[in-house]
Structures are given as structure tokens and as C-alpha cells.
């Protein structure tokens, strides 16, 4: 199978293509996208820690595929200060973000999120089933991120709508009207700036207040704080939602492992990590080489784009025994689903907590929940997931 990231066949199941890439060599040049692809575990792990690779962006913008100028300008305004777009600003804001997402901070809210997951699953059961993503995984992800950032509960429904529309601009979800996307970006930007201004005068125990605190944050400007929070709401709601759905679909396709987890829920910690290794929402990071870099016998020139394939690395037989077999007992499990080094996802622990909450709630409330229709898939810039996941509960 050829590496064709735009084909429906690849998006639905990219793993045969990853296998072919690994077998071909440590690095392969994909001419249609002008990208050097790296998919072997040790190479991926090393490059994630290589300071010569920096975030890939065009002129400082976080580009949406094929976005018209008006929309791109609106997205740039919304995300103008986020660390992905401005890597030179990352250290200041990401230090506080990592603290907010740390295990002790998350532990204080974990029991609340578990109750929310159970309430959402109860609703799914009362309805006899439905879309697991719309009914459970996405609202839980929105609750989790809103709790940490400090979005007032009365505002969360509209913030969730805005986040979904912005996510769709990057190719995840249904296509959106350009005018609607532009107005949404403007509304989202204005809302986040107002919320930041309010936190400066009335701080609370949340991430926005910490970022707005001049002593702790080093005087971060309002736009940078608003952009960082908007980015977290958009992508930290999207990725856990998709990974939760992919994980349950994986369990459905491996009924022996789902049955084992129902019998032995104490396996949840290793099960979650194995599901992330086996298939998670983030498959690829694009980075730019700011110096020449050697990978095997190949030399990647300065300025070239490099596609770091997490999902391929997590199926490398040189690192994992029987990598294409789901084993919820697998331990140790040094997967790279969350990246590594400076490119390690600050929400890794948070995502794992959400997955555990969802699957634990399903085991207790809907042990016979099953997928009733094969999903359609979206892929945008290496973030992959089903559009919906229809289940019977």
C-alpha cells in the first residue's frame, strides 16, 4: 500500500502503509507533500528530542488546509500567541500549562470527571445508544478542559460549539461555511480576551488566572493568554475525544480484550496505555529542520519538512513484540503516542484519566455496549479519528 495521506483507504487504515515505509528504510521522501517521513521507533524517539527540529509553520501562522485568506487571518488572530505558532513564547506559557495538567492538579478533579462520565453513560443507556462521541467522549473532554482553564459553566455550550467549528477549519469534522468560520473566530477571540481581562481583576484557581498572574506568568500579554487557552480548548477537546472513540472501537474489534477488561477492571492502567499505543488520534507531527540532519544514510537539508510518524513508531517490531496484536496486559509499554522530550504532550496524564473514566463508566453502566456501524474517518495534519461512533447500549 502506498503512502497516500489523502486517500479514504489510508485514512481508514494507515498501518499497512506505515509498515511498508519502515521496511523501505529509516527515512522516505514523500514528493507530493515535500516531506521526509520517519517511522521507525528509535529514529522517531531521537528526532523528538533533537533541538534542530522546530514547529512547522508558515510565516508564523497555524495554517488550515486550503483556508481562504479571510479565514486564515481570523485563525491567525485567534491563535496568534499559542505556543505551537510562536515557539519562542512556549517556555513561559507551557511551564504553567504543564503545572495545571500535572498529576496532583488532575487528581483533585478526577472524582468529579468520573461522576460526569457516569452521568453521560447513564444518558446513553437511557437512550438505548447513539453517538458515543457526541453523547459521552466529547462532552467529557469539554468539561475536563473547561474545568482546568476556568470557562464558566454557563458558557461551555457555546465555547464547545466554537471549538468544534474551529476544529472543522483544520479538516476534522464536516465542512463549514467560510463566513461562519470567520465570525466564529472573531467571537471566540473576543470572548477569550474578555475572560482573561476578568481573571486579571477576579482570579480563581484555574489556568487562566495563573497565566494572567504577572508574578507567576511573567507578565504574559492578554492575546498570548487568550490564544494559549483557545488552542487548548480546540485541540485538547478534539484529541481526547477522538482517542477515546478510537480506543473503544479498538476494544470492539478485539472482543476478547474487552471481555478481559470487563472481568478485570484493575487492568485499566495498562489497557489505556496499550490502546494509545495501538491507535490514537495524533499520528504525525510536522517539523522543520533548522540545520542539516542525518537519519540513517539520508541527509535531510536545512529548511526541509519532516513528518514524524508516532503511530508507525508504535508498531515497530524492532521495539514491540507482536506490535499488531492488542494486549491490554502489555508492560512495559514505552509508546510514543504523546511524543517525547520537548515535544511531549503536556496533557498526557489528563488524556489517560479521561480514557480510564469513560471505559470504567461503560464497564459499570453499559458492559454490553457495542459499535453498530463502521465509522467514516477524518484526517487533518496528522490528527485522525472517526466522525461519529454509533453504539447500542
Amino acid at each position: 500500500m502506498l503512502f497516500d495521506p489523502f486517500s479514504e483507504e489510508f485514512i481508514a487504515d494507515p498501518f499497512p502503509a506505515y509498515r511498508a515505509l519502515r521496511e523501505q528504510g529509516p527515512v522516505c521522501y514523500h514528493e507530493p507533500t515535500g516531506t521526509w517521513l520517519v517511522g521507525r521507533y528509535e529514529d522517531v524517539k531521537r528526532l523528538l528530542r533533537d533541538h534542530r527540529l522546530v514547529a512547522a509553520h508558515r510565516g508564523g501562522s497555524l495554517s488550515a488546509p486550503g483556508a481562504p485568506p479571510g479565514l486564515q487571518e481570523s485563525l491567525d488572530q485567534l491563535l496568534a500567541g499559542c505556543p505551537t505558532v510562536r515557539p519562542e513564547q512556549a517556555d513561559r506559557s507551557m511551564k504553567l500549562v504543564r503545572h495545571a495538567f500535572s498529576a496532583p492538579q488532575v487528581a483533585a478533579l478526577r472524582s468529579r470527571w468520573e461522576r460526569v462520565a457516569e452521568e453521560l453513560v447513564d444518558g446513553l443507556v437511557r437512550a438505548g445508544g447513539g453517538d458515543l462521541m457526541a453523547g459521552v467522549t466529547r462532552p467529557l473532554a469539554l468539561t475536563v478542559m473547561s474545568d482546568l482553564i476556568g470557562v464558566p459553566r454557563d458558557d461551555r455550550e457555546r465555547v464547545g460549539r466554537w471549538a468544534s467549528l474551529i476544529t472543522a477549519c483544520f479538516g476534522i469534522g464536516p465542512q463549514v461555511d467560510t463566513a461562519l468560520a470567520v465570525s466564529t473566530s472573531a467571537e471566540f477571540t473576543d470572548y477569550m480576551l474578555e475572560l482573561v481581562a476578568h481573571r486579571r481583576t477576579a482570579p480563581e484557581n484555574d489556568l487562566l488566572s495563573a497565566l494572567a498572574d504577572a508574578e507567576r506568568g511573567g507578565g504574559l500579554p492578554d492575546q498570548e493568554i487568550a490564544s494559549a487557552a483557545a488552542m487548548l480548548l480546540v485541540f485538547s477537546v478534539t484529541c481526547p475525544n477522538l482517542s477515546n472513540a478510537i480506543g473503544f472501537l479498538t476494544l470492539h474489534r478485539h472482543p476478547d480484550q474487552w471481555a478481559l477488561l470487563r472481568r478485570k477492571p484493575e487492568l485499566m492502567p495498562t489497557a489505556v496505555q496499550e490502546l494509545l499505543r495501538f491507535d490514537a488520534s495524533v499520528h504525525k507531527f510536522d517539523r522543520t529542520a533548522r540545520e542539516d540532519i542525518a537519519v540513517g544514510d539520508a541527509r535531510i537539508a536545512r529548511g526541509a519538512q519532516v513528518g514524524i510518524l508516532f503511530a508507525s513508531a508504535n508498531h515497530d517490531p524492532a521495539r514491540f513484540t507482536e506490535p499488531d496484536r492488542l494486549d491490554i496486559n502489555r508492560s512495559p509499554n514505552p509508546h510514543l503516542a504523546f511524543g517525547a522530550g520537548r515535544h511531549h504532550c503536556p496533557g498526557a496524564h489528563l488524556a489517560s484519566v479521561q480514557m480510564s473514566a469513560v471505559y470504567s463508566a461503560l464497564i459499570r453502566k453499559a458492559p454490553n455496549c457495542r459499535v453498530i456501524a463502521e465509522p467514516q474517518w477524518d484526517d487533518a495534519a496528522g490528527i485522525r479519528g472517526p466522525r461519529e461512533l454509533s453504539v447500542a447500549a
Side-chain angles (χ1 to χ4, degrees):
M1 178 183 180
L2 296 176
F3 185 89
D4 182 3
F6 309 111
S7 72
E8 290 184 5
E9 181 184 10
F10 176 88
I11 293 171
D13 182 11
F15 292 98
Y18 294 156
R19 185 183 308 114
L21 283 173
R22 290 193 305 271
E23 292 172 351
Q24 183 175 336
V27 61
C28 304
Y29 185 70
H30 187 243
E31 191 168 349
T33 57
T35 303
W36 290 93
L37 300 170
V38 182
R40 293 180 179 176
Y41 182 92
E42 291 300 331
D43 295 321
V44 166
K45 184 177 180 180
R46 177 173 61 83
L47 289 179
L48 286 170
R49 291 175 165 83
D50 196 318
H51 71 279
R52 295 172 296 176
L53 287 178
V54 296
H57 56 95
R58 304 173 191 170
S61 78
L62 188 63
S63 301
L71 174 55
Q72 189 60 64
E73 290 169 5
S74 297
L75 293 173
D76 287 349
Q77 172 67 17
L78 175 64
L79 302 174
C82 82
T84 300
V85 178
R86 307 282 188 224
E88 69 276 9
Q89 298 173 348
D91 288 342
R92 290 186 297 172
S93 53
M94 291 308 290
K95 181 178 180 180
L96 290 168
V97 169
R98 290 183 188 280
H99 174 71
F101 289 179
S102 66
Q105 295 293 106
V106 170
L109 288 165
R110 182 167 186 160
S111 60
R112 163 173 153 71
W113 298 334
E114 290 172 344
R115 289 195 303 273
V116 170
E118 291 204 346
E119 291 168 2
L120 292 168
V121 171
D122 279 338
L124 189 75
V125 171
R126 286 194 298 271
D131 180 4
L132 186 70
M133 298 172 70
V136 179
T137 64
R138 187 178 177 282
L140 177 63
L142 178 61
T143 296
V144 168
M145 193 51 53
S146 296
D147 281 351
L148 290 171
I149 288 177
V151 177
R153 296 192 184 187
D154 290 345
D155 295 341
R156 293 182 182 185
E157 184 176 343
R158 61 173 170 157
V159 167
R161 289 198 303 271
W162 289 336
S164 293
L165 282 165
I166 299 304
T167 301
C169 294
F170 293 91
I172 304 170
Q175 290 186 339
V176 294
D177 176 79
T178 299
L180 175 60
V182 168
S183 64
T184 296
S185 297
E187 290 173 6
F188 201 176
T189 299
D190 290 343
Y191 172 81
M192 293 309 304
L193 287 171
E194 289 176 9
L195 194 55
V196 171
H198 179 67
R199 284 295 189 274
R200 287 200 185 278
T201 58
E204 297 185 12
N205 184 27
D206 54 41
L207 178 59
L208 268 187
S209 298
L211 290 172
D213 185 325
E215 274 187 31
R216 297 170 62 188
L220 300 180
D222 285 9
Q223 181 63 64
E224 184 176 340
I225 298 170
S227 296
M231 178 199 68
L232 290 170
L233 281 163
V234 170
F235 293 107
S236 296
V237 168
T238 300
C239 294
N241 171 30
L242 296 176
S243 290
N244 259 309
I246 292 169
F248 186 73
L249 178 62
T250 299
L251 288 168
H252 171 79
R253 290 172 172 174
H254 297 80
D256 61 318
Q257 297 295 287
W258 178 227
L260 176 59
L261 187 59
R262 294 200 312 267
R263 290 197 311 271
K264 296 184 175 182
E266 65 270 18
L267 293 176
M268 188 64 70
T270 57
V272 165
Q273 298 310 310
E274 173 67 350
L275 290 166
L276 288 164
R277 181 200 69 83
F278 196 83
D279 193 3
S281 59
V282 180
H283 275 222
K284 177 169 71 77
F285 264 7
D286 285 330
R287 291 293 180 261
T288 299
R290 62 181 179 184
E291 299 176 23
D292 291 355
I293 298 175
V295 181
D297 294 331
R299 181 165 295 277
I300 299 173
R302 176 185 177 185
Q305 182 165 291
V306 182
I308 303 176
L309 300 172
F310 301 112
S312 173
N314 285 336
H315 281 250
D316 188 345
R319 184 61 186 86
F320 298 98
T321 302
E322 296 184 87
D324 297 328
R325 181 173 67 89
L326 184 72
D327 178 9
I328 65 171
N329 277 296
R330 190 183 297 269
S331 183
N333 192 346
H335 65 77
L336 299 174
F338 294 120
R342 184 170 183 172
H343 297 296
H344 186 264
C345 173
H349 178 65
L350 187 63
S352 299
V353 166
Q354 290 184 63
M355 293 181 76
S356 177
V358 169
Y359 304 145
S360 295
L362 287 169
I363 287 172
R364 288 192 293 271
K365 303 284 188 172
N368 297 316
C369 184
R370 67 188 189 282
V371 178
I372 57 176
E374 280 296 311
Q376 292 182 303
W377 295 79
D378 283 322
D379 185 291
I383 299 176
R384 170 180 169 272
R387 295 178 186 174
E388 62 179 33
L389 192 63
S390 297
V391 300

